[in-house]
Amino acid sequence: MDTALEILDPLVFDKAYAYFVPARTAPTNGSAAAAGALGLDGFTGASAGSAWGRDNILRQCISILIITQIGATSLYWIFSALSYYFIFDRRLEYHPRFLKNQIRQEIVSSMRAVPFINILTLPFFLAEVRGKSLLYTHVSDYGWAWMGVSTVLFMIWNDFFIYWIHRLEHHPSVYKYIHKPHHKWIVPTPWAALAFHPLDGYVQSLPYHVFVFVCPVQKYLYMVLFILVQIWTILIHDGDMISGHWLEKYINSPAHHTLHHMYFTVNYGQYFTWADSYFNSHRAPQPELDPLHEALRVMREKGLVDENGQPIPGAKNKKDQ
C-alpha cells in the first residue's frame, strides 16, 4: 500500500488534501510542538500546503480506503467483464440451477461486500504504510534470488492457509453464518468472484496480509502479487470445465472451482491441488461432470439448439429462468 501512496501522494493526494484540509496558521507558544508532533499544522509534517502531512494517520486511513475501494472495484469490473464476455460460456445461464437475475445479484453482492472488506483490512495496510511490516524497497537488500524465493513462499503460504480457512468455513457450525452466501451461486459466473459475506472475504484474505509481517517481500513485487491474486480469484469463477490437460493434476483450475461450487465439499485450494490431494478433498475434473451438459439439455428442450448443441436458426433466445 505504501507503493500506491508513493505514486498517488504527489500526483493526487497532496493537492486534494491541500484543498480540503489546507494548512493553518502556525500555532503559538507550547502548542506548536504538540500540533507538529501530530502532523496537524501547516509547517511540521505537512505537504503541499495541507494541514495533514503524509505521515498523518487519519490522512493515511482515508487515502488507503479510497485506494482500496477504487482499486478493488476497478479490478472487479474490468477483469470480471473480460472473463464473462471472452471466457465464460454463456450457455451455462440456461442451467436449471442458474438463478433468476443471478448476474445482477452477484454484482450487487460484490459491491456491497467490498467496502466492508476494505474497512476490515485497513489495519494491515495502515501498518504497512507506517513501516511495521517486512516490506522493503531495494532489491539489493536481499538480492534477486530472494525475489523468486519469496514469491514461491508467498504462494505456498497462501495455498496452505487458505485451504484450511476455506475448509473450516464449510464446517456446519460456521458455514451458514459466513460462507453460505457465496455458495448461493451453484453455477457461478466471474461476477461472483467477490460475492462474499464481508467477513468471509476478509478471513480468506488474511494470509495475503499476514505474510508480509513474517517474511520480507520487495514492495513492488508484493503489489504485483496482490493484484494477481485478485485477478486469479475472478478467473477461477469463469465456469471453464476443460479437462484432460496434464496441468490439472497440479493447478486448481476454474474447472476445479466449478466442481467446488457444485459439490461443496471438494477442491478447497487456491492455486494448486496438492493440499486437496493430501487431505483427501480433491475431485478431478471429468467431461461428464461439466454443468454445460445440463444447460444444453435445457436449451434443447426449449428448441434453442439441436442434438449436437448447435444453435437453431431463428430460435427465440429466451432463458425463462
Side-chain angles (χ1 to χ4, degrees), residues 10-190:
L11 291 177
V12 178
F13 289 135
D14 284 346
K15 299 178 180 65
Y17 286 107
Y19 179 81
F20 290 106
V21 192
R24 287 181 276 187
T25 305
T28 59
N29 303 325
S31 62
L38 294 173
L40 294 176
D41 66 280
F43 300 91
T44 305
S47 58
S50 174
W52 291 356
R54 291 181 182 178
D55 60 347
N56 178 273
I57 192 169
L58 181 56
R59 167 175 167 160
Q60 290 172 339
C61 288
I62 294 172
S63 297
I64 289 168
L65 289 175
I66 292 172
I67 291 170
T68 52
Q69 181 64 35
I70 294 176
T73 304
S74 298
L75 284 173
Y76 172 78
W77 282 99
I78 292 170
F79 287 96
S80 293
L82 290 173
S83 182
Y84 177 72
Y85 288 108
F86 295 104
I87 301 176
F88 179 72
D89 192 329
R90 297 177 68 179
R91 292 177 296 179
L92 288 169
E93 295 177 17
Y94 289 91
H95 193 283
R97 303 190 76 177
F98 195 87
L99 304 178
K100 184 178 181 179
N101 298 320
Q102 178 172 315
I103 292 173
R104 182 181 182 278
Q105 293 184 59
E106 290 172 337
I107 292 172
V108 170
S109 177
S110 297
M111 291 297 94
R112 285 177 176 170
V114 168
F116 292 100
I117 295 173
N118 291 338
I119 291 171
L120 291 170
T121 55
L122 175 61
F124 290 99
F125 286 129
L126 184 63
E128 291 174 18
V129 170
R130 299 186 74 81
K132 306 301 182 182
S133 72
L134 297 178
L135 290 170
Y136 63 92
T137 301
H138 304 292
V139 176
S140 58
D141 290 349
Y142 289 87
W144 284 100
W146 180 250
M147 294 275 283
V149 171
S150 60
T151 299
V152 173
L153 291 175
F154 177 82
M155 297 180 73
I156 293 173
W157 168 281
N158 291 339
D159 220 42
F160 178 79
F161 283 104
I162 290 175
Y163 173 86
W164 278 110
I165 289 170
H166 193 180
R167 185 161 183 171
L168 289 172
E169 285 188 334
H170 278 260
H171 191 277
S173 63
V174 178
Y175 176 79
K176 63 181 179 180
Y177 296 108
I178 68 169
H179 196 52
K180 186 177 180 180
H182 187 62
H183 275 280
K184 179 180 180 179
W185 330 112
I186 307 299
V187 182
T189 78

